[in-house]
Amino acid sequence: MRPDPLPFELLADPEFEPEDDQDPIAFAAAVLTDLLHLMRLEAVVTPRPPETPMDGLNHAVAVLDITPSDTQSDVPPEGEYGGAGLDALIGHQGEHLAALQYMVNLIVNRALEGRHAFTVDIEGYKRRREQELIALAEDAAAEARETRATVELQPMPPAERRIIHLNLSEQEGIETESTGAGAARRVQILYRDD
């Protein structure tokens, strides 16, 4: 049985009425902080501008970076409610992180007028993953050129497939396409000699 959440003051007022001058970034950071508190995770949310495609460049208003707080005394030990801390929020292929990002965006966009997209990241996970995907794309393109055959990557979420497509879009003789459906959707890298 899960213990009751620790009492704390909500940063994002549940009776919130939007004002004309409401800062969507500050509100989104408060919402995310509240969600983390409700999960009994002590963390700091720091907004920053998007810098790369995985950050949501040209799409997201801001990236909400989550880092551990300096006070870890209220964080349960590993294996108890709260899990291993912030790492548990990432999940397999970032699934938990994507769900958390979806919840933040849903709450913010229902509370505020207009459309505000936010990216949620945990301790630079998305930046590291983006670098891995770029290296994977380069290796797969080199293999496709060398073998002159189609190289098929493992299934991955839409945001990760987008990084592969963007990274290889300018490479001569290389085309990419997504195949499959749902969770089995993957990128194929094709060599074109024409």
Side-chain angles (χ1 to χ4, degrees):
M1 182 168 155
R2 292 183 176 176
D4 291 334
L6 298 174
F8 69 95
E9 188 81 22
L10 284 173
L11 297 174
D13 180 5
E15 304 298 323
F16 176 76
E17 291 292 329
E19 299 173 12
D20 292 338
D21 63 343
Q22 178 71 39
D23 178 15
I25 296 172
F27 183 70
V31 165
L32 180 55
T33 301
D34 287 348
L35 289 171
L36 293 170
H37 278 124
L38 288 169
M39 290 184 271
R40 296 184 54 165
L41 294 170
E42 293 299 320
V44 176
V45 177
T46 308
R48 66 172 172 80
E51 299 168 354
T52 67
M54 196 78 149
D55 280 349
L57 185 63
N58 300 323
H59 172 70
V61 175
V63 177
L64 305 174
D65 277 325
I66 302 170
T67 54
S69 72
D70 293 335
T71 60
Q72 292 294 317
S73 59
D74 292 332
V75 176
E78 188 166 336
E80 291 185 17
Y81 178 62
L86 296 180
D87 288 344
L89 282 180
I90 295 171
H92 177 69
Q93 290 189 327
E95 289 173 340
H96 298 162
L97 185 55
L100 182 61
Q101 178 175 301
Y102 177 78
M103 285 192 313
V104 168
N105 281 293
L106 186 66
I107 292 167
V108 170
N109 285 303
R110 287 207 175 161
L112 300 179
E113 301 253 343
R115 179 113 172 96
H116 310 282
F118 295 94
T119 300
V120 176
D121 198 3
I122 298 174
E123 296 186 282
Y125 165 78
K126 288 188 175 182
R127 184 66 55 89
R128 290 188 307 275
R129 182 64 180 147
E130 184 171 20
Q131 294 306 311
E132 291 171 4
L133 291 168
I134 289 169
L136 176 67
E138 296 293 331
D139 291 346
E143 182 182 340
R145 275 192 199 90
E146 185 178 309
T147 62
R148 297 183 183 270
T150 298
V151 175
E152 191 169 88
L153 301 179
Q154 295 292 329
M156 57 183 69
E160 293 188 0
R161 290 194 311 270
R162 183 174 180 269
I163 298 301
I164 302 290
H165 291 301
L166 285 172
N167 188 260
L168 297 179
S169 66
E170 301 293 319
Q171 291 205 14
E172 192 173 320
I174 295 294
E175 290 182 16
T176 61
E177 62 182 40
S178 291
T179 61
R185 199 148 170 83
R186 62 186 69 220
V187 176
Q188 289 185 331
I189 291 101
L190 303 94
Y191 176 75
R192 299 284 189 226
D193 195 12
D194 37 86

